[in-house]
Amino acid sequence: MIVDDSDPVWAALRLVSVVLSLVVVVLGVRVAVTRRFPAVWVRAARLTESQRSQPLRRGGFLALLGASLLVQQVPLLAPVPAVAGRALFALALLLLMGAVGWFVLLRR
């Protein structure tokens, strides 16, 4: 399956998921590096004081989660050999487990 697929709805959904994954990665890296949540995020999510004190934990989790989602979409958008597709899927699972481990183990 590639972007030139016969069904434009699925192709559009895949492209939307890639864009959303990129947004999650950028937002997570921004929060982890600056160690500050965006003001809109704090107001919209109504973060408690204990949650506001954990930007590195939440930002790293978001960055790894977004990277996992992005890696999962590569075989659907570009023609890759089956072995490479399986390797990318394994990498996505490792990133997902890394995100969960980051969130659970990092307590700041």
Side-chain angles (χ1 to χ4, degrees):
M1 291 188 241
I2 56 175
V3 176
D4 297 334
D5 207 4
S6 62
D7 191 9
V9 174
W10 284 111
L13 287 174
R14 287 185 203 123
L15 288 175
V16 167
S17 70
V18 167
V19 169
L20 290 176
S21 299
L22 284 171
V23 168
V24 169
V25 169
V26 169
L27 182 64
V29 169
R30 180 183 179 269
V31 169
V33 169
T34 63
R35 295 184 183 212
R36 292 186 60 203
F37 290 111
V40 174
W41 189 356
V42 173
R43 282 191 303 258
R46 296 185 181 146
L47 296 176
T48 65
E49 188 59 39
S50 66
Q51 292 171 335
R52 285 185 207 162
S53 67
Q54 303 173 347
L56 183 63
R57 180 182 185 195
R58 294 180 186 275
F61 172 75
L62 278 178
L64 288 171
L65 187 67
S68 173
L69 293 171
L70 191 60
V71 168
Q72 286 178 1
Q73 294 301 317
V74 170
L76 298 174
L77 293 173
V80 295
V83 174
R86 289 186 194 114
L88 287 171
F89 183 70
L91 176 63
L93 288 176
L94 285 173
L95 285 168
L96 181 65
M97 295 304 293
V100 171
W102 178 283
F103 190 77
V104 170
L105 296 176
L106 189 65
R107 296 188 182 256
R108 286 188 181 184

